[in-house]
Amino acid sequence: MDWVPIVFIVFKVAVFGTGMFFAIKWHYDQGKKAKEEASKRQGVAERVREASE
């Protein structure tokens, strides 16, 4: 029964490690997506401005 805490700790580290990986990945992807949308909006605004001149 001495192995039970070791197994639980290993499982806990694996679960939290996986959760942190996906949390970091999700935030990174959201930032990249927001940056791409901002550059698209800026490009559209520049085209509209050039068309109105």
Side-chain angles (χ1 to χ4, degrees):
M1 293 301 284
D2 290 337
W3 56 270
V4 172
I6 295 170
V7 171
F8 285 153
I9 290 171
V10 169
F11 179 73
K12 184 177 183 177
V13 168
V15 168
F16 281 122
T18 304
M20 288 190 312
F21 170 78
F22 283 112
I24 292 168
K25 182 182 181 310
W26 183 82
H27 281 88
Y28 175 78
D29 290 344
Q30 291 298 314
K32 197 160 78 170
K33 184 171 134 183
K35 189 184 288 186
E36 288 175 0
E37 287 178 4
S39 68
K40 283 181 184 177
R41 279 191 225 122
Q42 185 178 8
V44 169
E46 288 176 359
R47 280 189 239 125
V48 168
R49 193 175 337 124
E50 289 173 1
S52 65
E53 290 178 350

